[in-house]
Amino acid sequence: MYLLIPAAGSGKRMGANCNKLLLKVHSQSIIAWTLLAAEAASQIRWIGIISQPSEWHDFKAIVAGLAMTKPVEFIPGGTTRQESVYNGLQALPSEAKEVLIHDGARCLATPELFNACAIAILNCPGLIAAVPVKDTIKVVGESGIIESTPKREKLWAAQTPQGFNVQLLKQCHAEGVRQGWEVTDDAALFEKCGIQVRIVPGEETNLKVTTPQDLAIAELILSLR
């Protein structure tokens, strides 16, 4: 299975003056933990890191320090996550039929989750890891007034990895460019194009490290493993 890791984001919400994936958590950088999980996943055979070329020196040093046995390629990132994934798709080896896309900031995903998604995508066009929502969710208008309360039973929190048929995802990205769609994950492009996306049970600990509070939680979880 081929894995793309979008890693071109900034650390604004983290309050950092660098790419947040370079920040340390429990003795290793955030991106290092993500790579270690991918390295340990038996179904992953190739890894592409999508980041700004100005950061490649730092990322390459991390990869070298991990002594990765799987090939790791570096792909220029875009100005948005959507553009970065588009660039990543163009850089996939020609033989890639399916791909997993995993946010580098989700450094707590386990090898077992990577393997489960890699196996499941062989039997469907698209999937996402997700967990049922526990909180009651409110839809709130611009004035700050609650508009509705969706039924919690149908709500799931999207995670990554997300898996897709490569050709279909390329077509959906091309349509997104043509239509000017702006989405926050690739599954939304499939949805807009009318292609079914299934759920693979995610992990409660698979949080996205975005804020200093998330960093502290990740530190605790890793210390318990």
Side-chain angles (χ1 to χ4, degrees):
M1 182 57 60
Y2 298 84
L3 173 67
L4 290 174
I5 301 176
S10 65
K12 290 181 180 178
R13 283 181 287 180
M14 185 67 72
N17 58 2
C18 65
N19 189 319
K20 66 183 177 184
L21 300 189
L22 299 174
L23 298 177
K24 290 287 187 71
V25 53
H26 204 62
S27 79
Q28 293 274 21
S29 63
I30 291 174
I31 188 65
W33 289 111
T34 306
L35 290 169
L36 286 170
E39 170 75 7
S42 60
Q43 297 294 320
I44 303 298
R45 56 177 294 186
W46 180 95
I47 300 167
I49 297 177
I50 312 167
S51 62
Q52 303 302 338
S54 61
E55 297 168 342
W56 285 1
H57 178 270
D58 294 324
F59 282 124
K60 287 181 178 180
I62 291 170
V63 171
L66 296 176
M68 303 280 291
T69 64
K70 299 174 180 179
V72 179
E73 301 291 335
F74 289 85
I75 304 161
T79 57
T80 64
R81 183 189 187 280
Q82 188 173 338
E83 188 178 324
S84 290
V85 173
Y86 179 89
N87 291 351
L89 291 173
Q90 313 316 310
L92 284 173
S94 58
E95 66 270 19
K97 303 301 182 187
E98 290 86 22
V99 64
L100 295 185
I101 300 168
H102 182 68
D103 292 334
R106 289 189 183 273
C107 60
L108 300 174
T110 65
E112 291 76 20
L113 181 58
F114 280 114
N115 286 337
C117 292
I119 292 169
I121 193 54
L122 300 177
N123 298 301
C124 64
L127 62 80
I128 68 168
V131 293
V133 169
K134 295 187 179 71
D135 298 322
T136 297
I137 303 298
K138 302 292 185 180
V139 178
V140 182
E142 292 182 3
S143 61
I145 303 299
I146 294 172
E147 294 180 348
S148 63
T149 304
K151 288 188 176 181
R152 187 169 55 190
E153 292 77 14
K154 291 188 175 182
L155 297 177
W156 289 66
Q159 301 180 342
T160 63
Q162 299 190 355
F164 304 94
N165 173 281
V166 170
Q167 190 57 41
L168 285 176
L169 186 56
K170 284 183 176 180
Q171 292 172 7
C172 289
H173 267 274
E175 184 65 12
V177 171
R178 191 179 74 84
Q179 298 273 15
W181 293 335
E182 294 183 4
V183 297
T184 55
D185 73 355
D186 298 277
L189 289 174
F190 260 44
E191 295 163 33
K192 283 180 173 291
C193 290
I195 304 173
Q196 290 187 339
V197 180
R198 63 169 289 191
I199 291 291
V200 170
E203 297 170 333
E204 294 290 347
T205 55
N206 184 21
L207 63 88
K208 187 174 183 179
V209 178
T210 303
T211 67
Q213 290 78 13
D214 297 331
L215 200 63
I217 294 170
E219 182 94 21
L220 175 61
I221 293 171
L222 287 170
S223 69
L224 294 174
R225 286 184 176 176

